Amino acid sequence: MELALEEARAAAAAGEVPIGAVVVIDGEVVARRHNQREELQDPTAHAELLAIRDAAAAVGSWRLDDATVVVTLEPCAMCAGTMVNARVGRLVFGARSLDNGACGSLYQLGSDPRLNHEFVTIADVRAEECSELLSTYFAGLR
């Protein structure tokens, strides 16, 4: 989570919503990214989606069965859907997203048996620290 938090801080420094993500396979970091929606003017440029793309390229496969995605904020439906489609093995996230979260708060896409894949979800890892980064960022905008 520390590496994801570093990415989130880099996002904030670049004027992006401070969310960071890391993809780990067999104990090795294969990708790490932060939000880049503003920089790229791309609504899909969420940290976890970008990191999953990079991880797939790094391992040469879209199937990320052995991957753990670590992200500072609970993924939205788009990102959770990407994890289902990439066959991610595990998700670890920090802060819950009560208004947008798709991995426990509003929806449970990672554990929905109606979908073609499910992944293990571990929530609330360093949640207070992850939440504080977001709160501080948004307070500065007001």
Side-chain angles (χ1 to χ4, degrees):
M1 184 60 78
E2 182 58 36
L3 296 177
L5 283 162
E6 286 177 17
E7 287 293 324
R9 291 182 197 105
E16 300 278 354
V17 175
I19 300 170
V22 176
V23 179
V24 179
I25 299 175
D26 295 329
E28 180 183 339
V29 174
V30 295
R32 55 186 287 179
R33 295 291 290 266
H34 57 267
N35 272 10
Q36 290 185 279
R37 288 191 310 175
E38 298 300 329
E39 178 184 342
L40 300 176
Q41 288 300 296
D42 178 352
T44 70
H46 290 198
E48 54 270 59
L49 196 141
L50 295 171
I52 289 167
R53 284 180 186 161
D54 288 355
V59 301
S61 176
W62 63 268
R63 290 179 180 88
L64 299 175
D65 309 85
D66 297 327
T68 296
V69 175
V70 181
V71 62
T72 56
L73 182 67
E74 179 181 359
C76 68
M78 175 182 67
C79 293
T82 299
M83 290 180 208
V84 168
N85 286 314
R87 312 296 195 265
V88 165
R90 183 168 65 162
L91 164 68
V92 176
F93 72 82
R96 291 186 182 266
S97 178
L98 299 179
D99 60 346
N100 203 23
C103 294
S105 293
L106 289 179
Y107 309 104
Q108 293 78 32
L109 292 183
S111 60
D112 189 330
R114 296 171 296 176
L115 299 175
N116 64 349
H117 176 73
E118 295 179 55
F119 52 83
V120 173
T121 299
I122 300 169
D124 304 319
V125 175
R126 296 177 70 174
E128 189 173 314
E129 192 173 352
C130 294
S131 293
E132 181 62 30
L133 262 176
L134 288 159
S135 297
T136 301
Y137 175 80
F138 285 114
L141 294 179
R142 295 182 188 116

